[in-house]
């Protein structure tokens, strides 16, 4: 029997500090420390995020190793997020990973965060089927909105993406306009469950091809709230559930209408979603409906693998390990990182 491969994954690209231990494709531990400090500011403050990562990284790694029931000497390689993300945040995970790998004398593997979101579908998980290649992945997070043609583990083509705000940003900004704390996506999801999605209508953008735009929706939404509040000061409180359901269903419609076009154009019926917004229950429900209506085969990640986590970095590291794609001590973080960039 061949020897097991144990990967320590490290994620620190935005405001979640996370460490995961993966053994032969299975997750033994996935610890995430979310930073609540940003709630006060209505969005992620990069300098505060970086400082919080510095405080969290060692306890989070320590907890992951303990929970996995392994010793640090069992780790075969450390996979870390090299980008894309906030520079100060990425630096913490990268520096920690380099130092720990040097101390343990084991190889380093650099991971593209967006590939990680997609490859989270390949974590061994009882009762979950992995998408067969080629498949389409709608990757929707706080920083990105992309339709990706996934031909193989490391052969991905972006078919369309946002030309301005990301879908997660649209959720967070709408929430902020309504006076809800950051991150607003999960709160809008919660209130939307009790509301009428047809109560209010917002105009949808006309963007060519498979690209997206959310900045017009944000402005339209802001004007709508300003005008209604001028008439009735309690408009938001009195209509919160309906407003949330309406803005959420508009965002979902925008996403799914492009996804349907992409599926038709590529003649692919294996459809996955990934990234923080894939935790949205409205999006998950609508996709399940489309699976029945359009004869799609839909792949939806477990909640813990939707928002930022190190399990997705560890599984991506595992597949890189299998093809001997290693990084080294000269590795540097990068705020922008093409989906298909090769290790430099
Ligand atoms: O993937 P992620 O954790 O971080 C980035 O890589 O950006 O995504 C975070 C985004 C935030 O905008 C957050 O509001 C959104 O995902 N999000 C949601 C939900 N859970 C997280 N948006 C809508 N509904 C949710 N349930
Ligand atoms: Zn992410």
């Amino acid at each position: 029997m061949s020897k097991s491969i144990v990967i320590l994954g490290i994620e620190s690209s935005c405001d979640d500090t996370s460490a995961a231990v993966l053994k032969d494709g299975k997750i033994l531990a996935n610890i995430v420390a979310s930073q609540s400090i940003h709630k006060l500011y209505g969005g992620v403050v990069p300098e505060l995020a970086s400082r919080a990562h510095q405080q969290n990284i060692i306890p989070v790694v320590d907890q992951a190793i303990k929970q996995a029931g392994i010793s640090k000497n069992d780790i075969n390689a450390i996979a870390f997020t090299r980008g894309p993300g906030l520079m100060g945040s990425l630096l913490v995970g990268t520096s920690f990973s380099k130092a720990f790998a040097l101390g343990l004398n084991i190889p380093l593997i650099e991971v593209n965060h967006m590939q990680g979101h997609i490859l989270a579908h390949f974590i061994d998980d009882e009762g979950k089927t992995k998408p067969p290649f080629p498949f389409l992945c709608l990757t929707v997070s706080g920083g990105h909105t992309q339709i990706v043609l996934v031909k193989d583990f490391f052969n991905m083509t972006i078919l369309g993406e946002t030309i301005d705000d990301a879908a997660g940003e649209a959720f967070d900004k709408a929430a902020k306009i309504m006076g809800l704390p950051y991150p607003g996506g999960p709160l809008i999801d919660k209130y939307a469950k009790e509301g009428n999605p047809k109560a209010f209508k917002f105009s949808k953008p006309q963007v060519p091809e498979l690209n997206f735009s959310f900045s017009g929706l944000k402005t339209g939404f802001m004007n709508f709230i300003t005008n209604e509040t001028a008439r009735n000061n309690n408009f938001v409180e009195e209509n919160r559930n309906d407003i949330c359901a309406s803005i959420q269903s508009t965002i979902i419609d925008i996403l799914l209408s492009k996804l349907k076009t992409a599926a038709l154009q590529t003649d692919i019926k294996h459809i996955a979603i990934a990234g923080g917004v894939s935790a949205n229950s409205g999006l998950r429900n609508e996709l399940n409906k489309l699976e029945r209506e359009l004869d799609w085969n839909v792949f939806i990640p477990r909640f813990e693998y939707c928002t930022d986590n190190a399990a997705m970095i560890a599984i991506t590291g595992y597949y890189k390990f299998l093809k001997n794609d290693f990084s080294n001590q000269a590795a540097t973080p990068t705020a922008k990182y093409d989906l298909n960039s090769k290790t430099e």
Side-chain angles (χ1 to χ4, degrees):
M1 217 176 80
S2 60
K3 203 175 154 289
S4 283
I5 298 169
V6 177
I7 308 279
L8 173 70
I10 304 286
E11 157 63 31
S12 75
S13 65
C14 189
D15 59 341
D16 295 300
T17 319
S18 181
V21 176
L22 178 118
K23 187 177 182 182
D24 300 331
K26 278 201 176 64
I27 291 296
L28 301 183
N30 180 37
I31 309 295
V32 184
S34 300
Q35 306 175 359
S36 54
I37 180 120
H38 308 290
K39 268 192 187 141
L40 303 170
Y41 299 90
V44 177
V45 183
E47 181 52 37
L48 296 179
S50 175
R51 277 189 237 166
H53 282 305
Q54 290 174 43
Q55 282 166 359
N56 292 341
I57 188 103
I58 290 174
V60 162
V61 170
D62 190 46
Q63 204 184 331
I65 290 174
K66 284 198 178 113
Q67 202 187 85
I70 60 156
S71 130
K72 60 184 186 323
N73 295 319
D74 296 327
I75 303 168
N76 296 107
I78 300 181
F80 68 97
T81 303
R82 184 180 170 216
L86 300 170
M87 203 57 182
S89 291
L90 290 164
L91 257 172
V92 179
T94 306
S95 315
F96 173 84
S97 302
K98 282 161 70 170
F100 202 27
L102 191 65
L104 294 172
N105 195 22
I106 54 173
L108 273 171
I109 302 168
E110 58 191 51
V111 171
N112 180 311
H113 180 87
M114 300 313 292
Q115 281 186 348
H117 272 302
I118 296 173
L119 296 183
H121 283 281
F122 293 88
I123 292 170
D124 276 349
D125 207 343
E126 250 170 70
K128 276 262 176 208
T129 330
K130 297 170 188 172
F133 299 115
F135 65 93
L136 294 180
C137 188
L138 174 70
T139 316
V140 270
S141 71
H144 293 80
T145 301
Q146 300 174 332
I147 296 178
V148 182
L149 169 60
V150 187
K151 288 172 259 180
D152 203 346
F153 290 106
F154 299 102
N155 185 353
M156 305 183 181
T157 307
I158 299 173
L159 302 181
E161 60 189 327
T162 183
I163 56 168
D164 42 53
D165 293 351
E169 250 178 304
F171 272 103
D172 296 338
K173 287 179 178 171
K176 191 175 178 185
I177 292 166
M178 293 174 70
L180 299 172
Y182 176 86
L187 286 172
I188 292 194
D189 188 354
K190 182 177 141 200
Y191 296 127
K193 285 184 184 141
E194 313 293 325
N196 171 10
K198 296 200 164 48
F200 304 106
K201 225 177 145 40
F202 303 106
S203 55
K204 293 185 197 139
Q206 300 297 321
V207 191
E209 294 160 4
L210 295 173
N211 292 326
F212 301 94
S213 164
F214 289 100
S215 73
L217 181 64
K218 172 191 65 191
T219 313
F221 185 75
M222 193 157 69
N223 292 341
F224 164 76
I225 296 288
T226 311
N227 292 341
E228 294 295 336
T229 311
R231 277 199 284 264
N232 168 9
N233 213 10
N234 297 324
F235 175 75
V236 172
E237 291 80 77
E238 286 168 13
N239 298 279
R240 192 179 56 196
N241 295 347
D242 285 349
I243 303 171
C244 286
S246 302
I247 190 71
Q248 174 171 299
S249 91
T250 310
I251 296 171
I252 294 172
D253 277 0
I254 295 170
L255 292 171
L256 293 184
S257 88
K258 293 286 173 139
L259 189 58
K260 280 191 252 181
T261 311
L264 274 177
Q265 283 179 3
T266 55
D267 199 20
I268 292 177
K269 285 175 180 272
H270 299 301
I271 313 284
I273 51 170
V277 179
S278 65
N280 183 267
S281 49
L283 179 61
R284 294 163 88 99
N285 290 342
E286 288 305 315
L287 263 176
N288 284 328
K289 273 192 218 157
L290 289 181
E291 177 164 47
R292 293 188 291 271
E293 281 167 23
L294 302 175
D295 200 23
W296 281 1
N297 206 353
V298 162
F299 301 87
I300 298 177
R302 275 189 199 280
F303 282 111
E304 63 264 40
Y305 303 142
C306 290
T307 44
D308 287 349
N309 66 86
M312 68 189 206
I313 304 305
I315 190 72
T316 309
Y318 174 68
Y319 282 102
K320 285 195 151 188
F321 188 101
L322 294 180
K323 61 185 196 104
N324 287 320
D325 187 352
F326 295 110
S327 183
N328 57 52
Q329 288 291 328
T332 48
T334 175
K336 288 199 179 1
Y337 198 1
D338 278 354
L339 197 55
N340 270 322
S341 298
K342 297 276 175 290
T343 307
E344 281 157 27

